[in-house]
Amino acid sequence: MITLRKITKDNVNAVIDLSDTLSAAQNELVAPNAISLAQAYGYMDLAWPRAVYLDETPIGFVMLNKECKYHDSETVNGAYLWRMMISADYQRKGYGKEVIRILVEMLRSEGKKYFKVTSMLSEGSPKEFYEKQGFINTGQMQGDELVLFMDL
């Protein structure tokens, strides 16, 4: 069973170490979890970091910005999938899909209207994964990343 749990003193090192399981190509696409956690600390008012657990084993990391802005416009009622990673040994088993399902359910229950993610377009890009989960390719770029949206 997949659950999303707060990062605590008891699991922080295990979550940080998950980044070491990724391939070199994957490490080009997602920041190390230690960097993400530092950013979460710096943006405490916006960041929502969580460890992804399979039963009692940490297998990934996810972080949302729950006050999403769209291209520097005013804050709107949406969320941004800031980071997501699943440890290499647990990829391609449906766990990432389950994380997205849990997040969508949670955001809908909070009254959010849309969910945004950005994706690099280089080799190994998760763009197709996100599209399979219901995110729509907007064709717009945010820096060097493609913007994908999901209406909730």
Side-chain angles (χ1 to χ4, degrees), residues 49-91:
R50 294 295 186 268
V52 177
Y53 273 76
L54 174 61
D55 298 320
E56 295 304 312
T57 303
I59 66 163
F61 174 76
V62 65
M63 185 163 72
L64 298 179
N65 174 340
K66 287 186 150 187
E67 296 299 325
C68 185
K69 291 185 178 184
Y70 182 63
H71 287 289
D72 299 322
S73 66
E74 71 281 353
T75 300
V76 292
N77 196 12
Y80 171 55
L81 181 58
W82 195 346
R83 299 277 159 63
M84 185 171 116
M85 66 79 65
I86 300 293
S87 176
D89 293 341
Y90 295 92
Q91 293 176 10

Side-chain angles (χ1 to χ4, degrees), residues 82-141:
W82 195 346
R83 299 277 159 63
M84 185 171 116
M85 66 79 65
I86 300 293
S87 176
D89 293 341
Y90 295 92
Q91 293 176 10
R92 301 194 185 286
K93 297 181 180 190
Y95 301 132
K97 179 179 179 178
E98 180 65 7
V99 169
I100 297 294
R101 187 198 65 75
I102 290 168
L103 293 173
V104 166
E105 184 177 295
M106 177 190 72
L107 294 171
R108 283 181 177 150
S109 74
E110 293 175 357
K112 299 294 184 189
K113 299 297 180 197
Y114 76 88
F115 197 11
K116 171 185 166 182
V117 66
T118 59
S119 175
M120 302 280 288
L121 295 176
S122 55
E123 181 182 338
S125 169
K127 175 185 159 292
E128 288 183 20
F129 166 79
Y130 291 127
E131 289 174 331
K132 287 179 183 176
Q133 308 321 307
F135 286 91
I136 305 299
N137 178 346
T138 66
Q140 297 174 334
M141 299 297 287

